[in-house]
Amino acid sequence: AIEIGARIENLIDKASNSSLSAEEKAAMQNEINLLSDQLNDNLTSIEGENLTAATFGLNKENLDISNDAALAQAKSKVKEGIEGIIERNQLKGSEIRSSIRELKSTFENETNLRSSLSTIQDANIMQEMISVTNKSILQNLALKSLKKNIVMQQESILNLLT
């Protein structure tokens, strides 16, 4: 859009040359009108935006170069229009950068959550391993105690028999 605006500005600057013939000015006016249409097409194709060439004052009606008064107004409108497009592009760039920062933050948060989940899962596994180890130790102690009782009973029986 800025390139089209710059081309329109260039044509208007050339049109201010008083040595141009009526045919040359008409050809320039025709090109300016075509560029205005092209700019309008470019702006209306931006999804989610309600922009037109008129939004920035770059519609055909404002770009008349048929006389000196209209030419002066066209110069002013083109300058304002290009500045408006630049401001809009800067605003959109700022919005895009903000969206990128939000996406990066969301990604970092997701990464942190995944890491936390992994740590929690590791802790749960360790807790289960400790529980299994404790049960195994208790089972071994119970078996030793049983063996000891059996040995003591056998010794008691042998003592009685002898």
Side-chain angles (χ1 to χ4, degrees), residues 129-146:
M129 288 176 64
I130 290 170
S131 176
V132 167
T133 302
N134 284 342
K135 288 176 183 175
S136 176
I137 290 170
L138 288 174
Q139 188 177 22
N140 285 338
L141 286 173
L143 285 173
K144 282 184 181 181
S145 178
L146 271 171

Side-chain angles (χ1 to χ4, degrees), residues 17 21 114 144 147 155:
N17 183 349
S21 68
R114 287 181 189 270
K144 282 184 181 181
K147 283 181 184 178
E155 285 177 356

Side-chain angles (χ1 to χ4, degrees), residues 1-160:
I2 294 173
E3 295 82 14
I4 295 172
R7 177 65 182 144
I8 292 172
E9 184 177 40
N10 183 277
L11 286 168
I12 289 173
D13 285 342
K14 285 182 181 179
S16 62
N17 183 349
S18 59
S19 65
L20 293 174
S21 68
E23 292 84 24
E24 289 172 319
K25 275 196 173 184
M28 287 181 161
Q29 182 68 63
N30 188 41
E31 186 176 351
I32 289 170
N33 291 344
L34 291 172
L35 288 167
S36 177
D37 288 341
Q38 183 182 358
L39 178 63
N40 197 55
D41 291 344
N42 287 356
L43 292 173
T44 56
S45 69
I46 299 173
E47 198 171 316
E49 301 274 339
N50 293 322
L51 301 175
T52 65
T55 305
F56 300 101
L58 297 174
N59 49 317
K60 295 177 196 176
E61 297 77 20
N62 290 335
L63 302 175
D64 180 19
I65 60 170
S66 61
N67 58 54
D68 288 342
L71 189 60
Q73 180 185 352
K75 277 185 176 184
S76 173
K77 289 292 185 180
V78 167
K79 184 175 179 157
E80 290 172 12
I82 290 172
E83 288 173 359
I85 291 171
I86 290 170
E87 286 175 17
R88 182 205 157 271
N89 286 351
Q90 289 172 339
L91 177 64
K92 278 295 167 190
S94 176
E95 289 173 4
I96 289 169
R97 285 188 295 279
S98 176
S99 294
I100 289 170
R101 279 192 300 274
E102 287 176 26
L103 286 171
K104 283 181 179 178
S105 176
T106 300
F107 177 75
E108 288 172 4
N109 288 342
E110 181 184 358
T111 301
N112 290 341
L113 286 172
R114 287 181 189 270
S115 176
S116 295
L117 178 62
S118 177
T119 301
I120 290 168
Q121 288 171 337
D122 289 348
N124 287 343
I125 289 170
M126 290 303 295
Q127 191 174 21
E128 285 297 316
M129 288 176 64
I130 290 170
S131 176
V132 167
T133 302
N134 284 342
K135 288 176 183 175
S136 176
I137 290 170
L138 288 174
Q139 188 177 22
N140 285 338
L141 286 173
L143 285 173
K144 282 184 181 181
S145 178
L146 271 171
K147 283 181 184 178
K148 187 175 182 182
N149 280 343
I150 290 171
V151 167
M152 284 175 47
Q153 284 177 356
Q154 286 174 349
E155 285 177 356
S156 294
I157 293 173
L158 278 176
N159 281 341
L160 285 174

